[in-house]
């Protein structure tokens, strides 16, 4: 708009000749309503007008949600006054054209403003789409967690019953069983306990990721925790003729602040892996050491070793590496992921290294229980 009727008409003609649809007004008080009704792609605004000046009109356009996005180009003779230009841009104007208006300049500036407007439109459409996708994803994830939690809870009890019944069967509580039947029941129990461990792991993972896992921390002896974890795997190690050797100063206590059951779970997982990925008849060496206020457990096997490229990923949920268990054992890729999160919660770290002479060495270090007289 321009308050000079002749200039207004000339501009209108120029723009119409270029193929633009033009709505013109000489009254600054009309502009906001006009823009609201007509929804133009760009507004040309004279700065010096009687009544409300161009800057004020621009501010009003920018203040309304329905008109704020329309780019405004100011027309003004006051081109020498840098302050006026700055004022125009500051109140939300896109651009500035000085009078007398040069047709090529005006058209170029209009095209530039339209281009920017187009990009902005595309961007906000894409943004809205992304937000929508994000919401969908969040909803899916919530539902997914809910299903997983429900399924795991509901599976736990019947699995425990299966273990119980099969134990009774094997012990002959329902009549004599042949050696072949005992063998089958034993296999059955291995599979059921594998299923139970998956369910338990899924539930642990769920509460770890929710941050709702409760730890019962107290002063514990890491040496005795380690011994308990090793004993849990005596049978599996014997079956595979893998020797589990503990290298630790005999009787030496190593106090840590820990949830005992969870720490047994951590070490048990790492020892289970060492047995699982070790070739039969190879030793698994377990060392316990205290150094600079930290307690170190190292579990080293003579297996294939974990490739460098997989050493970060083994801690991701469900990641199963290129190494396969050496005797048909099973896994769901949850062990190390839970190990790492539990060790983190105990203020420690898990490191995968090469074992001396080949194989994997998993090192866990934890802070030694802090008392006044210990380091
Ligand atoms: N001691 C090990 N020796 C070789 N590879 C291992 C060892 N421990 C773990 N891995 C590799 O890391 C992967 C992830 O381990 P884990 O999270 O315990 O899952 P799972 O044992 O159920 O496959 C395994 O699939 C295996 O490829
Ligand atoms: Mg494992």
């Amino acid at each position: 708009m321009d308050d000079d009727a002749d200039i207004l008409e000339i501009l209108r003609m120029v723009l119409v000749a270029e193929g633009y649809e033009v709505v013109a007004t000489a009254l600054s008080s009309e502009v906001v309503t006009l823009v609201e009704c007509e929804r133009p792609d760009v507004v040309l605004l004279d700065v010096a007008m009687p009544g409300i000046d161009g800057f004020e009109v621009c501010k009003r356009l920018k203040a309304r949600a329905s008109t704020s996005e329309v780019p405004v180009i100011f027309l003004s003779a006051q081109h020498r006054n840098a302050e006026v230009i700055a004022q125009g841009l500051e109140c939300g104007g896109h651009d500035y054209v000085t009078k007398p208006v040069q047709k090529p300049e005006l058209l170029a500036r209009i095209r530039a403003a339209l281009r920017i407007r187009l990009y902005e439109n595309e961007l906000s459409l894409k943004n809205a789409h992304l937000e929508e996708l994000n919401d969908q994803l969040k909803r899916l994830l919530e539902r997914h967690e809910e299903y997983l939690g429900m399924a795991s809870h509901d599976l736990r009890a019947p699995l425990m019953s299966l273990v119980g019944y099969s134990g009774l069967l094997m012990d002959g509580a329902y009549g004599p069983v042949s050696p072949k039947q005992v063998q089958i029941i034993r296999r059955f129990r291995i599979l059921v306990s594998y299923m139970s461990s998956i369910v338990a792991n899924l539930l642990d993972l769920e509460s770890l990721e929710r941050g709702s896992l409760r730890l019962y921390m107290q002063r514990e002896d890491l040496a005795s925790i380690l011994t308990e974890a090793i004993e849990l795997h005596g049978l599996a190690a014997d079956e595979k003729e893998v020797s589990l050797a503990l290298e630790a100063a005999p009787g030496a206590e190593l106090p840590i602040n820990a949830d005992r059951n969870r720490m047994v779970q951590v070490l048990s997982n790492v020892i289970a892996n060492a047995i699982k990925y070790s070739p039969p008849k190879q030793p698994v060496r377990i060392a316990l050491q205290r150094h600079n206020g930290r307690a170190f457990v190292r579990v080293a096997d003579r297996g294939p070793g974990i490739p460098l490229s997989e050493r970060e990923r083994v801690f991701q949920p469900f990641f199963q590496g290129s190494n396969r268990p050496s005797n048909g054992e099973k896994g769901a890729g949850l062990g190390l992921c839970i190990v790492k999160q539990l060790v983190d919660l105990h203020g420690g770290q898990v490191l995968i290294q090469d074992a001396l002479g080949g194989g994997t060495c998993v090192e866990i270090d934890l802070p030694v229980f802090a008392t006044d007289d210990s380091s």
Side-chain angles (χ1 to χ4, degrees), residues 314-331:
V314 291
F315 297 115
Q316 290 170 2
F318 304 104
F319 177 79
Q320 293 192 285
S322 49
N323 292 329
R324 304 273 37 127
S326 55
N327 200 20
E329 295 102 325
K330 300 192 178 308

Side-chain angles (χ1 to χ4, degrees), residues 269 273 276-277 335-336:
N269 252 301
N273 276 349
K276 201 160 107 173
Y277 294 98
L336 287 179

Side-chain angles (χ1 to χ4, degrees), residues 4-132:
D4 183 315
D6 296 330
I7 295 184
L8 194 61
E9 180 54 18
I10 294 168
L11 278 177
R12 204 180 68 78
M13 293 301 288
V14 164
L15 294 174
V16 167
E18 288 298 318
Y20 292 111
E21 257 179 55
V22 183
V23 182
T25 177
L27 290 176
S28 60
S29 56
E30 270 187 355
V31 177
V32 174
T33 326
L34 207 62
V35 171
E36 246 182 344
C37 296
E38 300 290 336
R39 310 251 159 192
D41 293 315
V42 60
V43 173
L44 301 179
L45 208 54
D46 195 11
V47 173
M49 290 181 293
I52 317 164
D53 72 5
F55 295 147
E56 182 54 33
V57 173
C58 182
K59 275 188 205 156
R60 291 184 188 182
L61 285 173
K62 295 294 158 190
R64 282 173 185 252
S66 59
T67 56
S68 66
E69 300 295 316
V70 186
V72 171
I73 299 177
F74 286 115
L75 307 176
S76 170
Q78 292 164 291
H79 60 285
R80 292 210 179 83
N81 188 342
E83 252 175 47
V84 172
I85 297 180
Q87 202 184 340
L89 296 177
E90 239 146 54
C91 68
H94 261 66
D95 209 347
Y96 218 100
V97 178
T98 51
K99 290 205 267 188
V101 171
Q102 305 296 315
K103 185 176 151 190
E105 184 192 354
L106 175 70
L107 294 177
R109 291 197 189 268
I110 289 176
R111 280 196 295 271
L114 289 176
R115 257 200 314 274
I116 291 175
R117 176 115 173 92
L118 200 71
Y119 291 146
E120 280 176 356
N121 277 347
E122 274 177 18
L123 215 66
S124 72
L125 274 178
K126 280 189 182 148
N127 226 5
H129 185 56
L130 277 179
E131 270 170 23
E132 162 89 0

Side-chain angles (χ1 to χ4, degrees), residues 170 175-187:
M170 197 154 73
V177 277
S178 69
K180 182 69 193 168
Q181 284 168 333
V182 168
Q183 200 188 335
I184 299 290
I185 298 172
R186 191 167 285 147
R187 181 78 194 132

Side-chain angles (χ1 to χ4, degrees), residues 194 269-270 273-278 299 301 303-307 310 313-316 318-325 330-338 352 359-362:
Y194 168 60
N269 252 301
V270 175
N273 276 349
I275 300 171
K276 201 160 107 173
Y277 294 98
S278 232
V299 178
D301 60 55
I306 300 179
E310 292 179 9
R313 285 190 291 161
V314 291
F315 297 115
Q316 290 170 2
F318 304 104
F319 177 79
Q320 293 192 285
S322 49
N323 292 329
R324 304 273 37 127
K330 300 192 178 308
L334 287 173
L336 287 179
C337 157
I338 292 172
I352 307 257
T360 302
C361 173
V362 178

